[in-house]
Amino acid sequence: MVKTKVGITDTTLRDAHQSLLATRMTIDDILTVASDLDKVGFHSMEVWGGATFDSCMRFLNEDPWERLRKIRKACPNTKLQMLLRGQNLLGYRHYSDDVVDLFVQKCVENGIDIIRIFDALNDVRNVESAVRATKKYGAHAQVAVSYTNSPVHNTAHFVELAKKLKAMGADSICIKDMSGLIYPYGAYDLVKGIKEQAGLMVQLHCHYTTGMAAMSYLKAIEAGCDVVDCAMSPLAMGTSQPADETMVAVLQGTEYDTGIELNDLLAIAPKVKEIRSHYKEFDLANPGVDPTVLASQIPGGMMSNFLSQLKAANALGRIDEVLAEVPRVRKDMGYPPLVTPSSQIVGAQALLNVLSGGRYKMVTNEVKAYFQGQYGQPPAPMDEEVKKQIIRDMPSITHRPADDLPPYLDEARQEIGSLAKNDEDLLLYVMFPQVAKPFLEQKYAG
Ligand code: CO
């Protein structure tokens, strides 16, 4: 085999169907291609985490742990990778440290090799506990920085962040560009900066939304990027990743050759195409390229939310006001990157500021908690006037939010009782109690 210079992480079985098919791909479909993908020679395959855990139970009546074990069995040759939202794990709030530790232990025991950990605010303290556990159980701790543009987010800012993450124990850095906002030459500078100053392996994860991702990959690779994320062509591009086939072909015969045989990919693609055809009712039918994101920086999901909510409020004509309000709210909040859950928090408040007849006249509970410091420290200081107006005399914190969370596992064990037969069951309950209870009842019925 050719000496592999650049690695590819294949995201077909996680991010690609999360981005294009509402996370609905079933384990039966996954198993029709998993062992083929396993033989390709990818650096790793991202197959689990993100929204798949929730979706398995909520929509597919599948045990997410069982899914992971089946994929592991089908893929003995390739490292398996997952996405974890730092202290939020695979849920939408902070969990206590004992939950983080057990959850990570079970991920590794059930087959995960590489855990990609991120925090929406890039608050290092919110990923610390997950990184510690990942290393404790012998997996690779990759920390992702949520990429965004703002007056405080420049190359130097992200390089400093990468240095902090290295000091904290990160084994590698991922640049996570969820809206396709990184420019090719910006990617070059950033990767070079991180490689030179933090000296860690760098992986670039871009969504194709704006059409720049494959170009950004190429420039990043020229700057020393070690691994890029791609998906099989039938589930690539649009809001997913660039295509495996394209990147392999582009790099073939160069000093960056991936070592992957294009023909192997061409043989698998029809199977992935067939899988996609099973999900027509969820299929976003490749939106192609959405250049408006370049100007607005508003991710596709946020835009469609705005449109449906304004329609419900019979105020579709005010979309321009809402779009103009988003950057102002973001500035007040200290420029959070727009990723789960900050994109929802910023979006809901921007909508309220326009529709309720005055800025912050009405405030969501999440925005109150945000200004109280309960999500962590934003990249830049929050606007003091707005903060005063919102939290008044309520207390605010500057310490790590999870420091306020007492251990919870013992209590959860008592709550769920004999319905949980093992720690994996218990964690289903801890993560999504309302969904997990009926799920477990059904699983063990009869
Ligand atoms: Co992604």
Side-chain angles (χ1 to χ4, degrees):
M1 203 163 102
V2 189
K3 186 180 177 298
T4 302
K5 282 294 188 80
V6 170
I8 289 187
T9 290
D10 177 78
T11 66
T12 308
L13 304 181
R14 203 287 296 179
D15 203 348
H17 75 96
Q18 180 173 329
S19 298
L20 297 175
L21 305 176
T23 331
R24 292 307 206 280
M25 201 191 287
T26 63
I27 185 63
D28 291 343
D29 277 338
I30 287 172
L31 291 178
T32 63
V33 284
S35 64
D36 295 324
L37 293 170
D38 179 52
K39 294 183 190 90
V40 164
F42 291 120
H43 165 78
S44 66
M45 288 162 63
E46 191 198 51
V47 298
W48 207 69
T52 63
F53 191 90
D54 188 358
S55 175
C56 270
M57 266 196 301
R58 200 179 294 270
F59 304 120
L60 306 175
N61 197 29
E62 262 184 51
D63 184 333
W65 299 106
E66 187 63 31
R67 167 181 289 207
L68 175 55
R69 287 190 292 270
K70 284 179 176 166
I71 297 173
R72 176 77 281 173
K73 205 170 160 214
C75 302
N77 304 301
T78 310
K79 287 191 178 119
L80 296 185
Q81 183 162 335
M82 69 174 286
L83 180 68
L84 190 81
R85 302 186 193 107
Q87 202 76 24
N88 294 350
L89 300 175
L90 300 178
Y92 305 98
R93 61 177 182 86
H94 281 160
Y95 295 96
S96 53
D97 289 331
D98 63 333
V99 172
V100 173
D101 187 86
L102 182 66
F103 192 84
V104 168
Q105 181 185 2
K106 291 296 151 184
C107 293
V108 178
E109 276 180 19
N110 284 282
I112 292 291
D113 301 294
I114 301 170
I115 306 187
R116 177 179 291 170
I117 305 161
F118 80 99
D119 175 61
L121 299 183
N122 290 325
D123 185 336
V124 176
R125 302 167 307 170
N126 288 341
V127 298
E128 225 167 50
S129 183
V131 168
R132 198 182 313 123
T134 301
K135 294 169 79 85
K136 176 175 160 191
Y137 297 109
H140 178 107
Q142 176 171 83
V143 183
V145 297
S146 304
Y147 185 81
T148 188
N149 294 325
S150 87
V152 295
H153 288 95
N154 49 33
T155 303
H157 173 96
F158 284 116
V159 169
E160 278 313 305
L161 186 57
K163 284 158 79 177
K164 270 191 221 161
L165 293 169
K166 185 190 183 184
M168 194 255 294
D171 293 318
S172 64
I173 299 290
C174 170
I175 302 163
K176 177 177 162 61
D177 177 19
M178 46 285 170
S179 303
L181 295 176
I182 201 166
Y183 284 72
Y185 293 96
Y188 183 93
D189 290 343
L190 182 50
V191 169
K192 200 161 191 287
I194 296 176
K195 293 289 289 186
E196 281 175 3
Q197 294 191 52
L200 281 177
M201 188 198 128
V202 177
Q203 181 155 0
L204 182 54
H205 173 90
C206 292
H207 288 251
Y208 201 80
T209 323
T210 61
M212 298 194 293
M215 288 182 271
S216 298
Y217 281 4
L218 189 58
K219 290 308 292 183
I221 287 166
E222 288 176 7
C225 185
D226 301 275
V227 185
V228 291
D229 286 11
C230 301
M232 288 298 297
S233 58
L235 279 173
M237 298 181 285
T239 50
S240 174
Q241 272 77 59
D244 286 327
E245 296 93 320
T246 310
M247 251 14 251
V248 166
V250 162
L251 300 174
Q252 204 163 45
T254 72
E255 60 185 300
Y256 311 113
D257 201 304
T258 61
I260 292 171
E261 292 294 335
L262 183 58
N263 281 333
D264 292 346
L265 298 174
L266 296 178
I268 300 170
K271 290 191 182 182
V272 179
K273 194 173 177 191
E274 163 67 25
I275 291 177
R276 184 169 185 165
S277 74
H278 301 169
Y279 301 92
K280 290 214 169 73
E281 75 251 60
F282 303 108
D283 198 327
L284 297 177
N286 253 0
V289 165
D290 181 3
T292 65
V293 178
L294 288 171
S296 71
Q297 299 203 17
I298 289 169
M302 198 170 176
M303 185 64 111
S304 45
N305 257 339
F306 283 152
L307 293 174
S308 66
Q309 290 180 42
L310 284 171
K311 200 173 168 196
N314 209 9
L316 260 183
R318 307 192 70 180
I319 182 71
D320 286 345
E321 289 170 72
V322 174
L323 295 184
E325 180 62 9
V326 170
R328 289 199 286 265
V329 172
R330 220 179 137 221
K331 179 169 186 275
D332 295 339
M333 290 173 59
Y335 298 109
L338 297 178
V339 62
T340 303
S342 51
S343 49
Q344 289 85 345
I345 298 174
V346 171
Q349 190 58 48
L351 207 63
L352 271 183
N353 284 359
V354 169
L355 294 182
S356 68
R359 305 191 76 223
Y360 305 106
K361 262 185 110 171
M362 283 171 70
V363 178
T364 65
N365 288 333
E366 287 76 15
V367 165
K368 271 181 210 155
Y370 182 99
F371 277 92
Q372 286 179 284
Q374 287 174 18
Y375 286 89
Q377 192 184 6
M382 299 183 266
D383 186 285
E384 278 302 321
E385 287 303 308
V386 173
K387 183 177 168 180
K388 256 187 246 160
Q389 184 188 341
I390 289 173
I391 70 170
R392 301 211 179 92
D393 49 7
M394 289 186 290
S396 65
I397 60 165
T398 53
H399 55 260
R400 186 184 73 119
D403 285 343
D404 291 335
L405 300 174
Y408 173 60
L409 285 176
D410 289 343
E411 201 181 318
R413 273 197 186 95
Q414 291 193 343
E415 284 167 11
I416 188 73
S418 61
L419 196 50
K421 307 287 181 226
N422 48 46
D423 284 343
E424 283 82 352
D425 287 347
L426 173 73
L427 289 164
L428 295 179
Y429 170 74
V430 169
M431 212 64 32
F432 298 107
Q434 282 94 349
V435 189
K437 261 198 154 164
F439 176 81
L440 288 171
E441 275 159 10
Q442 200 193 342
K443 180 179 163 187
Y444 293 117

